[in-house]
Amino acid sequence: MSAKYKILIVEDEKNIRNLVKTILKANGYQVFDATNGSTGMIMYNSHCPDLIILDLGLPDIDGVQFIREIRQ
């Protein structure tokens, strides 16, 4: 893969986040991660990922609200 696709993981559970991150990196993706919606939004705006893997039950914002904000 010549151009690395950028993937943002927004997940508050450390074990899940680390597992997904490890698998994606091993397959050649550039991975960014966040533990909550606020940090996820910052990471989204900073890195413009190609894909977001999003936990809908975040501690600070509802995942559906996160999606609405991204789509605007």
Side-chain angles (χ1 to χ4, degrees):
M1 184 182 317
S2 58
K4 288 188 173 185
Y5 289 103
K6 296 183 282 187
I7 299 177
L8 172 61
I9 303 167
V10 185
E11 169 62 64
D12 60 326
E13 291 190 37
K14 184 178 180 180
N15 291 339
I16 295 171
R17 188 175 63 251
N18 288 341
L19 175 65
V20 174
K21 185 176 183 177
T22 300
I23 292 169
L24 291 171
K25 281 187 168 190
N27 284 284
Y29 295 99
Q30 185 177 5
V31 182
F32 305 96
D33 63 318
T35 59
N36 59 49
S38 299
T39 305
M41 197 63 68
I42 292 168
M43 297 297 282
Y44 172 79
N45 290 321
S46 299
H47 300 286
C48 299
D50 298 296
L51 175 72
I52 300 171
I53 298 175
L54 176 65
D55 178 6
L56 295 179
L58 297 169
D60 62 339
I61 184 173
D62 179 65
V64 175
Q65 181 61 35
F66 184 94
I67 294 168
R68 284 189 187 117
E69 290 181 28
I70 295 294
R71 288 182 173 171
Q72 287 183 348

